[in-house]
mmCIF file of all heavy atoms in Angstrom:
data_model
loop_
_atom_site.group_PDB
_atom_site.id
_atom_site.type_symbol
_atom_site.label_atom_id
_atom_site.label_comp_id
_atom_site.label_asym_id
_atom_site.label_seq_id
_atom_site.Cartn_x
_atom_site.Cartn_y
_atom_site.Cartn_z
ATOM 1 N N LEU A 132 38.409 83.960 -52.653
ATOM 2 C CA LEU A 132 37.959 83.498 -53.971
ATOM 3 C C LEU A 132 38.591 82.155 -54.311
ATOM 4 O O LEU A 132 37.929 81.265 -54.849
ATOM 5 C CB LEU A 132 38.309 84.546 -55.034
ATOM 6 C CG LEU A 132 37.598 85.898 -54.912
ATOM 7 C CD1 LEU A 132 38.108 86.861 -55.979
ATOM 8 C CD2 LEU A 132 36.091 85.742 -55.013
ATOM 9 N N GLY A 133 39.876 82.007 -54.003
ATOM 10 C CA GLY A 133 40.548 80.733 -54.259
ATOM 11 C C GLY A 133 39.939 79.602 -53.444
ATOM 12 O O GLY A 133 39.781 78.479 -53.931
ATOM 13 N N GLY A 134 39.587 79.905 -52.192
ATOM 14 C CA GLY A 134 38.960 78.895 -51.351
ATOM 15 C C GLY A 134 37.616 78.464 -51.888
ATOM 16 O O GLY A 134 37.280 77.269 -51.882
ATOM 17 N N LEU A 135 36.823 79.415 -52.369
ATOM 18 C CA LEU A 135 35.515 79.084 -52.929
ATOM 19 C C LEU A 135 35.659 78.286 -54.222
ATOM 20 O O LEU A 135 34.875 77.376 -54.500
ATOM 21 C CB LEU A 135 34.709 80.358 -53.165
ATOM 22 C CG LEU A 135 34.179 81.022 -51.892
ATOM 23 C CD1 LEU A 135 33.681 82.430 -52.193
ATOM 24 C CD2 LEU A 135 33.073 80.184 -51.262
ATOM 25 N N PHE A 136 36.683 78.630 -55.016
ATOM 26 C CA PHE A 136 36.962 77.870 -56.235
ATOM 27 C C PHE A 136 37.269 76.412 -55.884
ATOM 28 O O PHE A 136 36.709 75.480 -56.490
ATOM 29 C CB PHE A 136 38.142 78.495 -56.979
ATOM 30 C CG PHE A 136 38.629 77.679 -58.147
ATOM 31 C CD1 PHE A 136 38.028 77.793 -59.387
ATOM 32 C CD2 PHE A 136 39.679 76.783 -57.994
ATOM 33 C CE1 PHE A 136 38.472 77.028 -60.473
ATOM 34 C CE2 PHE A 136 40.129 76.018 -59.063
ATOM 35 C CZ PHE A 136 39.517 76.145 -60.297
ATOM 36 N N LEU A 137 38.134 76.202 -54.893
ATOM 37 C CA LEU A 137 38.497 74.837 -54.496
ATOM 38 C C LEU A 137 37.314 74.092 -53.898
ATOM 39 O O LEU A 137 37.169 72.880 -54.108
ATOM 40 C CB LEU A 137 39.657 74.880 -53.499
ATOM 41 C CG LEU A 137 41.019 75.301 -54.078
ATOM 42 C CD1 LEU A 137 42.052 75.419 -52.971
ATOM 43 C CD2 LEU A 137 41.481 74.314 -55.148
ATOM 44 N N ARG A 138 36.458 74.791 -53.170
ATOM 45 C CA ARG A 138 35.273 74.148 -52.610
ATOM 46 C C ARG A 138 34.319 73.705 -53.717
ATOM 47 O O ARG A 138 33.727 72.632 -53.658
ATOM 48 C CB ARG A 138 34.580 75.083 -51.625
ATOM 49 C CG ARG A 138 35.307 75.197 -50.291
ATOM 50 C CD ARG A 138 34.843 76.441 -49.514
ATOM 51 N NE ARG A 138 35.452 76.493 -48.191
ATOM 52 C CZ ARG A 138 36.704 76.856 -47.950
ATOM 53 N NH1 ARG A 138 37.511 77.167 -48.972
ATOM 54 N NH2 ARG A 138 37.178 76.896 -46.712
ATOM 55 N N GLY A 139 34.157 74.573 -54.720
ATOM 56 C CA GLY A 139 33.313 74.208 -55.860
ATOM 57 C C GLY A 139 33.871 73.023 -56.618
ATOM 58 O O GLY A 139 33.137 72.107 -57.008
ATOM 59 N N LEU A 140 35.189 73.032 -56.821
ATOM 60 C CA LEU A 140 35.850 71.923 -57.532
ATOM 61 C C LEU A 140 35.711 70.624 -56.750
ATOM 62 O O LEU A 140 35.299 69.587 -57.303
ATOM 63 C CB LEU A 140 37.326 72.266 -57.730
ATOM 64 C CG LEU A 140 38.238 71.144 -58.254
ATOM 65 C CD1 LEU A 140 37.773 70.665 -59.618
ATOM 66 C CD2 LEU A 140 39.687 71.609 -58.301
ATOM 67 N N THR A 141 36.034 70.667 -55.464
ATOM 68 C CA THR A 141 35.982 69.461 -54.640
ATOM 69 C C THR A 141 34.563 68.914 -54.541
ATOM 70 O O THR A 141 34.323 67.712 -54.676
ATOM 71 C CB THR A 141 36.523 69.755 -53.232
ATOM 72 O OG1 THR A 141 37.852 70.274 -53.336
ATOM 73 C CG2 THR A 141 36.540 68.495 -52.382
ATOM 74 N N GLY A 142 33.605 69.821 -54.307
ATOM 75 C CA GLY A 142 32.219 69.392 -54.188
ATOM 76 C C GLY A 142 31.708 68.704 -55.437
ATOM 77 O O GLY A 142 30.983 67.708 -55.357
ATOM 78 N N ASN A 143 32.117 69.191 -56.601
ATOM 79 C CA ASN A 143 31.639 68.587 -57.843
ATOM 80 C C ASN A 143 32.360 67.281 -58.146
ATOM 81 O O ASN A 143 31.761 66.344 -58.679
ATOM 82 C CB ASN A 143 31.794 69.563 -59.008
ATOM 83 C CG ASN A 143 30.703 69.378 -60.044
ATOM 84 O OD1 ASN A 143 29.567 69.080 -59.710
ATOM 85 N ND2 ASN A 143 31.043 69.552 -61.304
ATOM 86 N N LEU A 144 33.642 67.190 -57.801
ATOM 87 C CA LEU A 144 34.370 65.928 -58.002
ATOM 88 C C LEU A 144 33.837 64.835 -57.087
ATOM 89 O O LEU A 144 33.970 63.647 -57.398
ATOM 90 C CB LEU A 144 35.859 66.142 -57.749
ATOM 91 C CG LEU A 144 36.618 66.947 -58.811
ATOM 92 C CD1 LEU A 144 38.070 67.122 -58.398
ATOM 93 C CD2 LEU A 144 36.528 66.278 -60.184
ATOM 94 N N LEU A 145 33.231 65.232 -55.975
ATOM 95 C CA LEU A 145 32.661 64.250 -55.044
ATOM 96 C C LEU A 145 31.170 64.048 -55.258
ATOM 97 O O LEU A 145 30.479 63.534 -54.384
ATOM 98 C CB LEU A 145 32.927 64.690 -53.597
ATOM 99 C CG LEU A 145 34.399 64.691 -53.175
ATOM 100 C CD1 LEU A 145 34.549 65.232 -51.763
ATOM 101 C CD2 LEU A 145 34.999 63.288 -53.278
ATOM 102 N N ASN A 146 30.697 64.465 -56.426
ATOM 103 C CA ASN A 146 29.292 64.260 -56.786
ATOM 104 C C ASN A 146 29.227 63.218 -57.907
ATOM 105 O O ASN A 146 29.387 63.553 -59.080
ATOM 106 C CB ASN A 146 28.662 65.570 -57.245
ATOM 107 C CG ASN A 146 27.182 65.421 -57.580
ATOM 108 O OD1 ASN A 146 26.608 64.334 -57.431
ATOM 109 N ND2 ASN A 146 26.566 66.491 -58.037
ATOM 110 N N PRO A 147 28.993 61.943 -57.584
ATOM 111 C CA PRO A 147 29.023 60.887 -58.609
ATOM 112 C C PRO A 147 27.893 60.991 -59.621
ATOM 113 O O PRO A 147 27.917 60.318 -60.646
ATOM 114 C CB PRO A 147 28.913 59.602 -57.782
ATOM 115 C CG PRO A 147 28.177 60.010 -56.546
ATOM 116 C CD PRO A 147 28.654 61.406 -56.254
ATOM 117 N N LYS A 148 26.916 61.848 -59.342
ATOM 118 C CA LYS A 148 25.816 61.997 -60.282
ATOM 119 C C LYS A 148 26.311 62.531 -61.625
ATOM 120 O O LYS A 148 25.736 62.252 -62.671
ATOM 121 C CB LYS A 148 24.774 62.949 -59.687
ATOM 122 C CG LYS A 148 23.374 62.734 -60.221
ATOM 123 C CD LYS A 148 22.368 63.576 -59.464
ATOM 124 C CE LYS A 148 20.980 63.374 -60.064
ATOM 125 N NZ LYS A 148 19.981 64.248 -59.426
ATOM 126 N N ALA A 149 27.403 63.314 -61.583
ATOM 127 C CA ALA A 149 27.977 63.836 -62.819
ATOM 128 C C ALA A 149 28.477 62.695 -63.701
ATOM 129 O O ALA A 149 28.295 62.704 -64.928
ATOM 130 C CB ALA A 149 29.121 64.803 -62.502
ATOM 131 N N ALA A 150 29.099 61.695 -63.081
ATOM 132 C CA ALA A 150 29.580 60.538 -63.844
ATOM 133 C C ALA A 150 28.420 59.777 -64.456
ATOM 134 O O ALA A 150 28.450 59.388 -65.631
ATOM 135 C CB ALA A 150 30.398 59.621 -62.947
ATOM 136 N N VAL A 151 27.374 59.567 -63.669
ATOM 137 C CA VAL A 151 26.197 58.853 -64.165
ATOM 138 C C VAL A 151 25.572 59.599 -65.323
ATOM 139 O O VAL A 151 25.155 58.997 -66.328
ATOM 140 C CB VAL A 151 25.170 58.666 -63.029
ATOM 141 C CG1 VAL A 151 23.895 58.038 -63.561
ATOM 142 C CG2 VAL A 151 25.764 57.798 -61.919
ATOM 143 N N PHE A 152 25.524 60.933 -65.203
ATOM 144 C CA PHE A 152 24.943 61.757 -66.257
ATOM 145 C C PHE A 152 25.653 61.526 -67.588
ATOM 146 O O PHE A 152 25.007 61.271 -68.611
ATOM 147 C CB PHE A 152 25.041 63.231 -65.861
ATOM 148 C CG PHE A 152 24.826 64.188 -67.014
ATOM 149 C CD1 PHE A 152 23.554 64.480 -67.469
ATOM 150 C CD2 PHE A 152 25.909 64.782 -67.649
ATOM 151 C CE1 PHE A 152 23.357 65.337 -68.533
ATOM 152 C CE2 PHE A 152 25.721 65.650 -68.713
ATOM 153 C CZ PHE A 152 24.436 65.925 -69.153
ATOM 154 N N TYR A 153 26.978 61.589 -67.590
ATOM 155 C CA TYR A 153 27.716 61.451 -68.840
ATOM 156 C C TYR A 153 27.647 60.031 -69.397
ATOM 157 O O TYR A 153 27.520 59.839 -70.607
ATOM 158 C CB TYR A 153 29.168 61.879 -68.651
ATOM 159 C CG TYR A 153 29.327 63.378 -68.610
ATOM 160 C CD1 TYR A 153 29.855 64.013 -67.501
ATOM 161 C CD2 TYR A 153 28.925 64.164 -69.683
ATOM 162 C CE1 TYR A 153 29.993 65.394 -67.466
ATOM 163 C CE2 TYR A 153 29.049 65.537 -69.652
ATOM 164 C CZ TYR A 153 29.588 66.147 -68.539
ATOM 165 O OH TYR A 153 29.699 67.508 -68.500
#
Side-chain angles (χ1 to χ4, degrees):
L132 295 177
L135 287 167
F136 172 85
L137 289 175
R138 285 162 175 77
L140 171 60
T141 303
N143 212 36
L144 288 178
L145 294 176
N146 182 2
K148 205 172 178 184
V151 175
F152 164 79
Y153 283 120

